[in-house]
Amino acid sequence: EENSKISELDEIPISPRKENLVSIKSIRSPNRKILTNWEVYLQKINGPKQINHEPYIVHVNLVGAYDFQKEYDCFITFMIKSDQKETKFTSKLIKDTRSPKWNEKFELQSLDLLSDIIVVNMYHKEETPEFQLMDTIEIPIRDLPYDHSYIYNRNITLNDNITGHLKFIINE
C-alpha cells in the first residue's frame, strides 16, 4: 500500500537514519501494466503474433466495362496495398472504346489477410489523377467471402457522377 502512494518521481529514502539520508528518484512508467496470472497464461498459450510468410493468392478475372459516355483509351490497375509488400497488375490498354472487354485473369499476392486492401483504378491513357475514369475502389481482403467468389458488377462513379459500369470477379 505504501508503494501505491509513491508518485512517478517521488524521492525514496535509502537509509533509516536521518543524518545519513540519501534519496533516489523512482521512475515509474505510466505505460507499464502488471499482468494477472490469467493474462500471463493467455500470453503463453497464444504466443507472440506470428507473421505468415506464405502469401495468400488473390485470383482476379477482369471481365470488362461498358456504358461510357464517350470513347476512351482505358486500362485498369489492381494493387494490393500493404504494410509489407505491394503487388500490382496493370491491364492491357484498349483504345477508342465505350465498352472495353479485357477478359484478363491474373494473381495478386497478400501477406497479411487482416490489413491488406485491394485497390482498383481505371485510367484514360495515363496513370495520373487527371486521367482517372472512376473513383478508387478499395476492398479489404478480410471482407472477401471465404468459400465463394466476390463479384463486382456495378456502376462506377467519378466525383459522384456515374461514368460507366465495371465487372470483375475475385477468387472465381
Side-chain angles (χ1 to χ4, degrees), residues 100-135:
K101 303 282 186 261
W102 286 282
N103 292 319
E104 292 184 54
K105 293 184 180 185
F106 55 92
E107 297 176 346
L108 299 170
Q109 292 184 0
S110 169
L111 294 176
D112 189 348
L113 298 177
L114 296 177
S115 64
D116 287 356
I117 298 171
I118 299 172
V119 179
V120 184
N121 281 302
M122 186 185 307
Y123 298 96
H124 170 63
K125 293 185 181 179
E126 295 179 31
E127 192 174 338
T128 56
E130 59 268 13
F131 288 110
Q132 202 164 349
L133 294 176
M134 66 178 206
D135 295 325

Side-chain angles (χ1 to χ4, degrees), residues 19-35:
E19 61 268 13
N20 294 331
L21 276 181
V22 177
S23 62
I24 61 169
K25 299 226 180 218
S26 167
I27 301 174
R28 301 181 88 195
S29 171
N31 296 331
R32 180 176 272 173
K33 178 185 176 197
I34 298 173
L35 299 175

Side-chain angles (χ1 to χ4, degrees), residues 128-164:
T128 56
E130 59 268 13
F131 288 110
Q132 202 164 349
L133 294 176
M134 66 178 206
D135 295 325
T136 301
I137 299 169
E138 292 192 349
I139 305 166
I141 292 181
R142 69 176 175 265
D143 292 347
L144 293 174
Y146 177 73
D147 56 350
H148 59 277
S149 300
Y150 173 86
I151 300 171
Y152 187 95
N153 189 16
R154 54 185 92 148
N155 289 333
I156 51 175
T157 61
L158 182 62
N159 302 324
D160 295 325
N161 296 315
I162 295 175
T163 57

Side-chain angles (χ1 to χ4, degrees), residues 3-38:
N3 285 343
S4 65
K5 294 179 183 176
I6 297 173
S7 69
E8 192 172 349
L9 293 174
D10 282 342
E11 292 184 4
I12 304 171
I14 300 295
S15 171
R17 302 166 95 200
K18 283 192 170 189
E19 61 268 13
N20 294 331
L21 276 181
V22 177
S23 62
I24 61 169
K25 299 226 180 218
S26 167
I27 301 174
R28 301 181 88 195
S29 171
N31 296 331
R32 180 176 272 173
K33 178 185 176 197
I34 298 173
L35 299 175
T36 65
N37 287 340
W38 180 248

Side-chain angles (χ1 to χ4, degrees), residues 60-111:
V60 180
N61 179 4
L62 174 57
V63 179
Y66 57 90
D67 285 345
F68 289 125
Q69 302 294 324
K70 62 181 191 173
E71 292 185 349
Y72 291 105
D73 298 343
C74 27
F75 66 95
I76 289 189
T77 61
F78 283 80
M79 180 181 77
I80 299 284
K81 185 166 62 172
S82 175
D83 293 336
Q84 298 176 23
K85 179 185 175 186
E86 293 185 355
T87 59
K88 184 175 180 180
F89 171 82
T90 302
S91 74
K92 62 187 172 196
L93 177 74
I94 299 182
K95 294 187 173 196
D96 301 322
T97 183
R98 291 179 186 213
S99 298
K101 303 282 186 261
W102 286 282
N103 292 319
E104 292 184 54
K105 293 184 180 185
F106 55 92
E107 297 176 346
L108 299 170
Q109 292 184 0
S110 169
L111 294 176

